[in-house]
Structures are given as C-alpha cells and as structure tokens.
C-alpha cells in the first residue's frame, strides 16, 4: 500500500505504540517485559523488568504503562528522571486487578485504563473486564464499567476529551462512553464489526475521526485491517497491514503519521496519511 513502510523492528510481542511528548515513538515488548523506543530502524530498551506491558500513554513528561501482569505504572524517559518506574494502580477497593491492557490519558492528567487481563482471561462466556479512571491529584480510582466487558483492550479519547472509545475485542466491537455531565459516562455501541477476532487498538485525529486496528490470529490471516470511521460511526476509509496480530496504533497529529505495531512479526509500521481520506 502506498504510504505504508516498515519503521522499526524488535522486541518480543511488540504492542502498545505511543507518541511521547518528546516526539519519540515508544512501544511495549510484552513477552520480555520491556519498554522500547524506536530508533534508527530498531528498538532500544528504555526500561525493563515488567511482567507483561501491553499499552502506553503519556502525561507530565512520563510514560504511563498498562501491564497485564501487575497494574498501571509510570516510566521516566529523561536524564533528570533516569528510567525510574513507579506503580500507580494495582488494585481497586483492595482487590487486585485482572490485568490492565490499554491506557490513555486526558489533557488534565486523568488516566483511563481497561482491565481485562491477558487474552482469554475475560471472554464472551466470561465478560468480567472493567474500565477505570484514575485521578493522580486525588489519588483515587473510579469505575466506569464494572466487570461487564469481554476482553477490553485499547482505548482513546476524542479531541474534546468528552468521548471515550473502548475496544471490546472478544465481542468484536467498539464501545462509546460519552461524558454528560462531568464525571457521568453513558455507554453505547459505536460500531459492531463482523469477521476477524476483534479490535485491539484505537486512536482519533484532530477532526474526531476514529482509527481502529482489527486483529486476527496469525494462523487464520496474513494481514490486519485498519478501519477509519467518522465521529457519527459511518465508514470513511480502510487499509490492510502486513501480519494479522495488530497490537497498537498511535497517530502523530502534527505530521499525520500513523504508527502501527504488529505482534507476530515484531514490526512497527509508519503510514503517512493522505491529505484527505474521502
């Protein structure tokens, strides 16, 4: 496909790509427990020693990670903050989390994360995944959706920060949580897909268009699909990505470059979006 190129390769179970506030591109090596930075076509280790990191966000000059083996954590990325790691959320009301998979951050520093555990922990037959919000200024965690989701994974906010999109992988759909009034979230189905395993990763552009990475097992397909939907849920565009196990995507809203991780080949792709997707 025109505009899609291999950007870097490395890690083991590459996932959770994130554009840092420093402009660097980061990702998780889930199976080796490392946080990586894409550099000169390869990956360099920023931090290690996690159990199963799978999602990344950015707030206050630090990476925020979701680790399905331990919880939500932060990672320093500068010389003044030399790669120190700190656990942020490991339990809710004294009960350990199942295992956070995706995390995103708002402009005012609120952390939103899914808690569905490694693939198979929650499912259509056992929809016990949850969606949480954590406010660092209050040190408090609140639940938005409690133990009712089938393998929740990636998530993102719209540009205004008033809509939270959540991938519910095992149900093969994306949910939309609209905030009205402040602090009250109303959930509904944004899009129901058919075919493939389900969506695992998601991001929005400045116009509110939603980019959704759709995953399948490598034994069943040789490629993933990225579907682009307008804010009203109608189709805008779609394109394929080599390798079935798409595991992360993040849009640089300044350069309009879309970065995509694919786990079975441990490859990060870069797609230069055209001026118009119409």
């Amino acid at each position: 496909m025109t505009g899609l190129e291999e950007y870097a390769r490395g890690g083991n179970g590459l996932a959770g790509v994130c554009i840092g506030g420093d402009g660097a591109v980061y990702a998780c090596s889930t199976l080796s427990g490392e946080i990586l930075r894409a550099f000169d076509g390869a990956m360099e280790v920023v931090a290690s020693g996690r159990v199963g990191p799978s999602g990344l966000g950015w707030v206050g000059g630090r990476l925020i990670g979701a680790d399905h083996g331990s919880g939500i954590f932060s990672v320093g990325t500068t010389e003044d903050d030399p790669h120190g790691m700190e656990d942020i959320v490991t339990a809710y009301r004294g009960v350990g989390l199942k295992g956070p998979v995706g995390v995103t951050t708002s402009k005012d520093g609120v952390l939103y994360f899914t808690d569905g555990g490694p693939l198979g922990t929650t499912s259509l037959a056992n929809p016990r995944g949850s969606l949480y919000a954590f406010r660092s200024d209050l040190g408090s965690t609140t639940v938005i959706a409690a133990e009712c989701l089938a393998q929740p994974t990636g998530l993102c906010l719209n540009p205004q920060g008033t809509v939270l999109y959540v991938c519910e992988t095992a149900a093969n759909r994306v949910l939309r949580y609209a905030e009205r009034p402040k602090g009250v979230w109303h959930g509904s189905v944004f899009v129901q897909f058919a075919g493939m395993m389900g969506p695992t990763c998601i991001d929005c552009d400045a116009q509110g268009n939603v980019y959704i990475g759709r995953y399948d097992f490598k034994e069943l397909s040789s490629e993933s699909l990225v579907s682009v939907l307008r804010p009203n849920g109608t189709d805008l565009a779609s394109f394929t990505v080599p390798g079935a196990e798409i595991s992360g995507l993040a849009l640089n809203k300044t350069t309009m470059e879309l970065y995509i991780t694919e786990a079975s080949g441990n490859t990060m792709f870069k797609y230069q979006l055209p001026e118009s997707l119409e």
Side-chain angles (χ1 to χ4, degrees), residues 222-253:
S222 61
E223 58 189 19
S224 310
L225 183 64
V226 175
S227 296
V228 187
L229 277 63
R230 297 179 181 87
N232 64 5
T234 57
D235 292 333
L236 178 58
S238 66
F239 58 90
T240 59
V241 177
E245 299 187 359
I246 189 169
S247 53
L249 59 79
L251 178 64
N252 185 321
K253 297 172 180 60

PDB file of all heavy atoms in Angstrom, residues 222-253:
ATOM      1  N   SER A 222      -3.191 -13.404   7.091  1.00  0.00           N
ATOM      2  CA  SER A 222      -1.847 -12.886   6.863  1.00  0.00           C
ATOM      3  C   SER A 222      -1.788 -11.371   7.000  1.00  0.00           C
ATOM      4  O   SER A 222      -0.723 -10.775   6.832  1.00  0.00           O
ATOM      5  CB  SER A 222      -1.360 -13.277   5.459  1.00  0.00           C
ATOM      6  OG  SER A 222      -2.220 -12.723   4.464  1.00  0.00           O
ATOM      7  N   GLU A 223      -2.925 -10.741   7.342  1.00  0.00           N
ATOM      8  CA  GLU A 223      -2.934  -9.293   7.445  1.00  0.00           C
ATOM      9  C   GLU A 223      -3.978  -8.819   8.445  1.00  0.00           C
ATOM     10  O   GLU A 223      -4.931  -9.528   8.776  1.00  0.00           O
ATOM     11  CB  GLU A 223      -3.192  -8.644   6.083  1.00  0.00           C
ATOM     12  CG  GLU A 223      -4.493  -9.073   5.427  1.00  0.00           C
ATOM     13  CD  GLU A 223      -4.625  -8.589   3.992  1.00  0.00           C
ATOM     14  OE1 GLU A 223      -3.604  -8.231   3.378  1.00  0.00           O
ATOM     15  OE2 GLU A 223      -5.760  -8.573   3.485  1.00  0.00           O
ATOM     16  N   SER A 224      -3.749  -7.607   8.968  1.00  0.00           N
ATOM     17  CA  SER A 224      -4.705  -6.909   9.818  1.00  0.00           C
ATOM     18  C   SER A 224      -5.441  -5.879   8.979  1.00  0.00           C
ATOM     19  O   SER A 224      -5.084  -5.614   7.832  1.00  0.00           O
ATOM     20  CB  SER A 224      -3.988  -6.191  10.967  1.00  0.00           C
ATOM     21  OG  SER A 224      -3.105  -7.029  11.657  1.00  0.00           O
ATOM     22  N   LEU A 225      -6.435  -5.259   9.593  1.00  0.00           N
ATOM     23  CA  LEU A 225      -7.205  -4.219   8.923  1.00  0.00           C
ATOM     24  C   LEU A 225      -7.327  -3.013   9.832  1.00  0.00           C
ATOM     25  O   LEU A 225      -7.581  -3.158  11.038  1.00  0.00           O
ATOM     26  CB  LEU A 225      -8.604  -4.751   8.577  1.00  0.00           C
ATOM     27  CG  LEU A 225      -9.535  -3.826   7.795  1.00  0.00           C
ATOM     28  CD1 LEU A 225      -8.977  -3.538   6.403  1.00  0.00           C
ATOM     29  CD2 LEU A 225     -10.930  -4.445   7.687  1.00  0.00           C
ATOM     30  N   VAL A 226      -7.107  -1.826   9.268  1.00  0.00           N
ATOM     31  CA  VAL A 226      -7.386  -0.584   9.983  1.00  0.00           C
ATOM     32  C   VAL A 226      -8.622   0.045   9.352  1.00  0.00           C
ATOM     33  O   VAL A 226      -8.634   0.337   8.151  1.00  0.00           O
ATOM     34  CB  VAL A 226      -6.201   0.394   9.928  1.00  0.00           C
ATOM     35  CG1 VAL A 226      -6.575   1.733  10.578  1.00  0.00           C
ATOM     36  CG2 VAL A 226      -4.982  -0.205  10.624  1.00  0.00           C
ATOM     37  N   SER A 227      -9.668   0.202  10.142  1.00  0.00           N
ATOM     38  CA  SER A 227     -10.902   0.838   9.694  1.00  0.00           C
ATOM     39  C   SER A 227     -10.944   2.254  10.256  1.00  0.00           C
ATOM     40  O   SER A 227     -10.679   2.464  11.446  1.00  0.00           O
ATOM     41  CB  SER A 227     -12.126   0.062  10.176  1.00  0.00           C
ATOM     42  OG  SER A 227     -12.170  -1.236   9.614  1.00  0.00           O
ATOM     43  N   VAL A 228     -11.290   3.229   9.417  1.00  0.00           N
ATOM     44  CA  VAL A 228     -11.396   4.622   9.833  1.00  0.00           C
ATOM     45  C   VAL A 228     -12.859   5.027   9.746  1.00  0.00           C
ATOM     46  O   VAL A 228     -13.477   4.918   8.680  1.00  0.00           O
ATOM     47  CB  VAL A 228     -10.525   5.539   8.958  1.00  0.00           C
ATOM     48  CG1 VAL A 228     -10.520   6.959   9.529  1.00  0.00           C
ATOM     49  CG2 VAL A 228      -9.101   5.002   8.842  1.00  0.00           C
ATOM     50  N   LEU A 229     -13.411   5.476  10.867  1.00  0.00           N
ATOM     51  CA  LEU A 229     -14.818   5.869  10.933  1.00  0.00           C
ATOM     52  C   LEU A 229     -14.938   7.344  11.309  1.00  0.00           C
ATOM     53  O   LEU A 229     -14.109   7.870  12.069  1.00  0.00           O
ATOM     54  CB  LEU A 229     -15.564   5.025  11.964  1.00  0.00           C
ATOM     55  CG  LEU A 229     -16.081   3.650  11.528  1.00  0.00           C
ATOM     56  CD1 LEU A 229     -14.950   2.723  11.129  1.00  0.00           C
ATOM     57  CD2 LEU A 229     -16.911   3.016  12.644  1.00  0.00           C
ATOM     58  N   ARG A 230     -15.961   7.980  10.786  1.00  0.00           N
ATOM     59  CA  ARG A 230     -16.284   9.348  11.184  1.00  0.00           C
ATOM     60  C   ARG A 230     -16.842   9.331  12.614  1.00  0.00           C
ATOM     61  O   ARG A 230     -17.271   8.280  13.108  1.00  0.00           O
ATOM     62  CB  ARG A 230     -17.302   9.954  10.226  1.00  0.00           C
ATOM     63  CG  ARG A 230     -16.807  10.079   8.795  1.00  0.00           C
ATOM     64  CD  ARG A 230     -17.885  10.677   7.901  1.00  0.00           C
ATOM     65  NE  ARG A 230     -17.442  10.784   6.504  1.00  0.00           N
ATOM     66  CZ  ARG A 230     -17.556   9.813   5.606  1.00  0.00           C
ATOM     67  NH1 ARG A 230     -18.105   8.646   5.962  1.00  0.00           N
ATOM     68  NH2 ARG A 230     -17.141   9.999   4.368  1.00  0.00           N
ATOM     69  N   PRO A 231     -16.913  10.482  13.276  1.00  0.00           N
ATOM     70  CA  PRO A 231     -17.457  10.508  14.642  1.00  0.00           C
ATOM     71  C   PRO A 231     -18.885   9.995  14.751  1.00  0.00           C
ATOM     72  O   PRO A 231     -19.295   9.551  15.829  1.00  0.00           O
ATOM     73  CB  PRO A 231     -17.369  11.995  15.022  1.00  0.00           C
ATOM     74  CG  PRO A 231     -16.286  12.553  14.164  1.00  0.00           C
ATOM     75  CD  PRO A 231     -16.372  11.801  12.872  1.00  0.00           C
ATOM     76  N   ASN A 232     -19.638  10.042  13.645  1.00  0.00           N
ATOM     77  CA  ASN A 232     -21.014   9.525  13.686  1.00  0.00           C
ATOM     78  C   ASN A 232     -21.089   8.028  13.400  1.00  0.00           C
ATOM     79  O   ASN A 232     -22.176   7.453  13.324  1.00  0.00           O
ATOM     80  CB  ASN A 232     -21.915  10.295  12.715  1.00  0.00           C
ATOM     81  CG  ASN A 232     -21.509  10.121  11.248  1.00  0.00           C
ATOM     82  OD1 ASN A 232     -20.603   9.351  10.928  1.00  0.00           O
ATOM     83  ND2 ASN A 232     -22.164  10.856  10.362  1.00  0.00           N
ATOM     84  N   GLY A 233     -19.926   7.382  13.213  1.00  0.00           N
ATOM     85  CA  GLY A 233     -19.879   5.935  13.036  1.00  0.00           C
ATOM     86  C   GLY A 233     -19.929   5.448  11.609  1.00  0.00           C
ATOM     87  O   GLY A 233     -19.834   4.236  11.377  1.00  0.00           O
ATOM     88  N   THR A 234     -20.052   6.358  10.627  1.00  0.00           N
ATOM     89  CA  THR A 234     -20.070   5.933   9.230  1.00  0.00           C
ATOM     90  C   THR A 234     -18.648   5.693   8.729  1.00  0.00           C
ATOM     91  O   THR A 234     -17.686   6.287   9.211  1.00  0.00           O
ATOM     92  CB  THR A 234     -20.766   6.986   8.347  1.00  0.00           C
ATOM     93  OG1 THR A 234     -20.094   8.246   8.494  1.00  0.00           O
ATOM     94  CG2 THR A 234     -22.214   7.133   8.731  1.00  0.00           C
ATOM     95  N   ASP A 235     -18.521   4.804   7.731  1.00  0.00           N
ATOM     96  CA  ASP A 235     -17.213   4.436   7.202  1.00  0.00           C
ATOM     97  C   ASP A 235     -16.573   5.598   6.449  1.00  0.00           C
ATOM     98  O   ASP A 235     -17.225   6.300   5.677  1.00  0.00           O
ATOM     99  CB  ASP A 235     -17.348   3.247   6.243  1.00  0.00           C
ATOM    100  CG  ASP A 235     -17.743   1.966   6.961  1.00  0.00           C
ATOM    101  OD1 ASP A 235     -17.423   1.840   8.158  1.00  0.00           O
ATOM    102  OD2 ASP A 235     -18.380   1.098   6.340  1.00  0.00           O
ATOM    103  N   LEU A 236     -15.265   5.776   6.669  1.00  0.00           N
ATOM    104  CA  LEU A 236     -14.504   6.796   5.954  1.00  0.00           C
ATOM    105  C   LEU A 236     -13.450   6.165   5.059  1.00  0.00           C
ATOM    106  O   LEU A 236     -13.297   6.533   3.896  1.00  0.00           O
ATOM    107  CB  LEU A 236     -13.857   7.763   6.951  1.00  0.00           C
ATOM    108  CG  LEU A 236     -12.984   8.884   6.375  1.00  0.00           C
ATOM    109  CD1 LEU A 236     -13.776   9.747   5.406  1.00  0.00           C
ATOM    110  CD2 LEU A 236     -12.408   9.738   7.502  1.00  0.00           C
ATOM    111  N   ALA A 237     -12.689   5.195   5.583  1.00  0.00           N
ATOM    112  CA  ALA A 237     -11.622   4.551   4.812  1.00  0.00           C
ATOM    113  C   ALA A 237     -11.210   3.266   5.512  1.00  0.00           C
ATOM    114  O   ALA A 237     -11.599   3.007   6.657  1.00  0.00           O
ATOM    115  CB  ALA A 237     -10.428   5.492   4.677  1.00  0.00           C
ATOM    116  N   SER A 238     -10.412   2.456   4.818  1.00  0.00           N
ATOM    117  CA  SER A 238      -9.815   1.270   5.427  1.00  0.00           C
ATOM    118  C   SER A 238      -8.575   0.883   4.646  1.00  0.00           C
ATOM    119  O   SER A 238      -8.447   1.203   3.461  1.00  0.00           O
ATOM    120  CB  SER A 238     -10.810   0.097   5.462  1.00  0.00           C
ATOM    121  OG  SER A 238     -11.116  -0.338   4.152  1.00  0.00           O
ATOM    122  N   PHE A 239      -7.639   0.219   5.314  1.00  0.00           N
ATOM    123  CA  PHE A 239      -6.448  -0.291   4.639  1.00  0.00           C
ATOM    124  C   PHE A 239      -5.896  -1.465   5.433  1.00  0.00           C
ATOM    125  O   PHE A 239      -6.165  -1.616   6.626  1.00  0.00           O
ATOM    126  CB  PHE A 239      -5.385   0.799   4.460  1.00  0.00           C
ATOM    127  CG  PHE A 239      -4.916   1.455   5.739  1.00  0.00           C
ATOM    128  CD1 PHE A 239      -3.845   0.945   6.455  1.00  0.00           C
ATOM    129  CD2 PHE A 239      -5.547   2.602   6.219  1.00  0.00           C
ATOM    130  CE1 PHE A 239      -3.408   1.546   7.614  1.00  0.00           C
ATOM    131  CE2 PHE A 239      -5.116   3.212   7.378  1.00  0.00           C
ATOM    132  CZ  PHE A 239      -4.047   2.687   8.083  1.00  0.00           C
ATOM    133  N   THR A 240      -5.149  -2.316   4.753  1.00  0.00           N
ATOM    134  CA  THR A 240      -4.593  -3.506   5.378  1.00  0.00           C
ATOM    135  C   THR A 240      -3.153  -3.257   5.830  1.00  0.00           C
ATOM    136  O   THR A 240      -2.466  -2.366   5.329  1.00  0.00           O
ATOM    137  CB  THR A 240      -4.619  -4.703   4.417  1.00  0.00           C
ATOM    138  OG1 THR A 240      -3.872  -4.380   3.236  1.00  0.00           O
ATOM    139  CG2 THR A 240      -6.047  -5.066   4.044  1.00  0.00           C
ATOM    140  N   VAL A 241      -2.726  -4.081   6.788  1.00  0.00           N
ATOM    141  CA  VAL A 241      -1.376  -4.027   7.345  1.00  0.00           C
ATOM    142  C   VAL A 241      -0.810  -5.444   7.335  1.00  0.00           C
ATOM    143  O   VAL A 241      -1.514  -6.386   7.717  1.00  0.00           O
ATOM    144  CB  VAL A 241      -1.396  -3.482   8.787  1.00  0.00           C
ATOM    145  CG1 VAL A 241      -0.006  -3.486   9.398  1.00  0.00           C
ATOM    146  CG2 VAL A 241      -1.981  -2.068   8.818  1.00  0.00           C
ATOM    147  N   PRO A 242       0.442  -5.651   6.890  1.00  0.00           N
ATOM    148  CA  PRO A 242       1.018  -6.996   6.901  1.00  0.00           C
ATOM    149  C   PRO A 242       1.060  -7.586   8.317  1.00  0.00           C
ATOM    150  O   PRO A 242       1.428  -6.906   9.271  1.00  0.00           O
ATOM    151  CB  PRO A 242       2.439  -6.768   6.356  1.00  0.00           C
ATOM    152  CG  PRO A 242       2.347  -5.507   5.563  1.00  0.00           C
ATOM    153  CD  PRO A 242       1.359  -4.661   6.289  1.00  0.00           C
ATOM    154  N   GLY A 243       0.650  -8.839   8.429  1.00  0.00           N
ATOM    155  CA  GLY A 243       0.609  -9.501   9.724  1.00  0.00           C
ATOM    156  C   GLY A 243      -0.744  -9.354  10.372  1.00  0.00           C
ATOM    157  O   GLY A 243      -1.328  -8.264  10.388  1.00  0.00           O
ATOM    158  N   ALA A 244      -1.278 -10.444  10.899  1.00  0.00           N
ATOM    159  CA  ALA A 244      -2.656 -10.445  11.398  1.00  0.00           C
ATOM    160  C   ALA A 244      -2.817  -9.846  12.780  1.00  0.00           C
ATOM    161  O   ALA A 244      -3.897  -9.375  13.134  1.00  0.00           O
ATOM    162  CB  ALA A 244      -3.187 -11.882  11.416  1.00  0.00           C
ATOM    163  N   GLU A 245      -1.726  -9.849  13.593  1.00  0.00           N
ATOM    164  CA  GLU A 245      -1.877  -9.559  15.016  1.00  0.00           C
ATOM    165  C   GLU A 245      -1.535  -8.106  15.329  1.00  0.00           C
ATOM    166  O   GLU A 245      -0.590  -7.805  16.071  1.00  0.00           O
ATOM    167  CB  GLU A 245      -1.059 -10.554  15.831  1.00  0.00           C
ATOM    168  CG  GLU A 245      -1.540 -11.981  15.592  1.00  0.00           C
ATOM    169  CD  GLU A 245      -0.900 -13.030  16.481  1.00  0.00           C
ATOM    170  OE1 GLU A 245      -0.027 -12.677  17.308  1.00  0.00           O
ATOM    171  OE2 GLU A 245      -1.277 -14.213  16.348  1.00  0.00           O
ATOM    172  N   ILE A 246      -2.329  -7.178  14.790  1.00  0.00           N
ATOM    173  CA  ILE A 246      -2.143  -5.758  15.070  1.00  0.00           C
ATOM    174  C   ILE A 246      -2.351  -5.527  16.564  1.00  0.00           C
ATOM    175  O   ILE A 246      -3.284  -6.039  17.166  1.00  0.00           O
ATOM    176  CB  ILE A 246      -3.089  -4.902  14.208  1.00  0.00           C
ATOM    177  CG1 ILE A 246      -2.748  -3.411  14.335  1.00  0.00           C
ATOM    178  CG2 ILE A 246      -4.552  -5.181  14.535  1.00  0.00           C
ATOM    179  CD1 ILE A 246      -3.474  -2.539  13.318  1.00  0.00           C
ATOM    180  N   SER A 247      -1.447  -4.779  17.180  1.00  0.00           N
ATOM    181  CA  SER A 247      -1.430  -4.700  18.643  1.00  0.00           C
ATOM    182  C   SER A 247      -1.322  -3.276  19.174  1.00  0.00           C
ATOM    183  O   SER A 247      -1.321  -3.075  20.394  1.00  0.00           O
ATOM    184  CB  SER A 247      -0.239  -5.518  19.179  1.00  0.00           C
ATOM    185  OG  SER A 247       0.969  -5.102  18.541  1.00  0.00           O
ATOM    186  N   GLY A 248      -1.240  -2.303  18.296  1.00  0.00           N
ATOM    187  CA  GLY A 248      -1.170  -0.917  18.750  1.00  0.00           C
ATOM    188  C   GLY A 248      -1.173   0.022  17.571  1.00  0.00           C
ATOM    189  O   GLY A 248      -0.693  -0.323  16.481  1.00  0.00           O
ATOM    190  N   LEU A 249      -1.747   1.200  17.753  1.00  0.00           N
ATOM    191  CA  LEU A 249      -1.618   2.258  16.763  1.00  0.00           C
ATOM    192  C   LEU A 249      -1.696   3.609  17.464  1.00  0.00           C
ATOM    193  O   LEU A 249      -2.374   3.765  18.475  1.00  0.00           O
ATOM    194  CB  LEU A 249      -2.637   2.137  15.629  1.00  0.00           C
ATOM    195  CG  LEU A 249      -4.143   2.150  15.872  1.00  0.00           C
ATOM    196  CD1 LEU A 249      -4.665   3.572  16.100  1.00  0.00           C
ATOM    197  CD2 LEU A 249      -4.863   1.542  14.683  1.00  0.00           C
ATOM    198  N   ALA A 250      -0.959   4.571  16.930  1.00  0.00           N
ATOM    199  CA  ALA A 250      -0.928   5.914  17.501  1.00  0.00           C
ATOM    200  C   ALA A 250      -0.684   6.905  16.378  1.00  0.00           C
ATOM    201  O   ALA A 250       0.178   6.690  15.520  1.00  0.00           O
ATOM    202  CB  ALA A 250       0.175   6.034  18.554  1.00  0.00           C
ATOM    203  N   LEU A 251      -1.437   7.985  16.396  1.00  0.00           N
ATOM    204  CA  LEU A 251      -1.362   8.994  15.348  1.00  0.00           C
ATOM    205  C   LEU A 251      -0.608  10.219  15.840  1.00  0.00           C
ATOM    206  O   LEU A 251      -0.952  10.783  16.888  1.00  0.00           O
ATOM    207  CB  LEU A 251      -2.774   9.393  14.914  1.00  0.00           C
ATOM    208  CG  LEU A 251      -2.873  10.489  13.856  1.00  0.00           C
ATOM    209  CD1 LEU A 251      -2.263  10.033  12.537  1.00  0.00           C
ATOM    210  CD2 LEU A 251      -4.335  10.895  13.651  1.00  0.00           C
ATOM    211  N   ASN A 252       0.427  10.612  15.086  1.00  0.00           N
ATOM    212  CA  ASN A 252       1.080  11.898  15.318  1.00  0.00           C
ATOM    213  C   ASN A 252       0.217  12.955  14.640  1.00  0.00           C
ATOM    214  O   ASN A 252       0.168  13.041  13.425  1.00  0.00           O
ATOM    215  CB  ASN A 252       2.499  11.897  14.739  1.00  0.00           C
ATOM    216  CG  ASN A 252       3.256  13.167  15.077  1.00  0.00           C
ATOM    217  OD1 ASN A 252       2.696  14.261  15.064  1.00  0.00           O
ATOM    218  ND2 ASN A 252       4.546  13.030  15.365  1.00  0.00           N
ATOM    219  N   LYS A 253      -0.503  13.719  15.431  1.00  0.00           N
ATOM    220  CA  LYS A 253      -1.496  14.636  14.877  1.00  0.00           C
ATOM    221  C   LYS A 253      -0.881  15.859  14.206  1.00  0.00           C
ATOM    222  O   LYS A 253      -1.580  16.605  13.509  1.00  0.00           O
ATOM    223  CB  LYS A 253      -2.476  15.036  15.977  1.00  0.00           C
ATOM    224  CG  LYS A 253      -3.272  13.851  16.507  1.00  0.00           C
ATOM    225  CD  LYS A 253      -4.085  14.191  17.716  1.00  0.00           C
ATOM    226  CE  LYS A 253      -4.875  12.979  18.218  1.00  0.00           C
ATOM    227  NZ  LYS A 253      -4.016  11.840  18.606  1.00  0.00           N
TER     228      LYS A 253
END
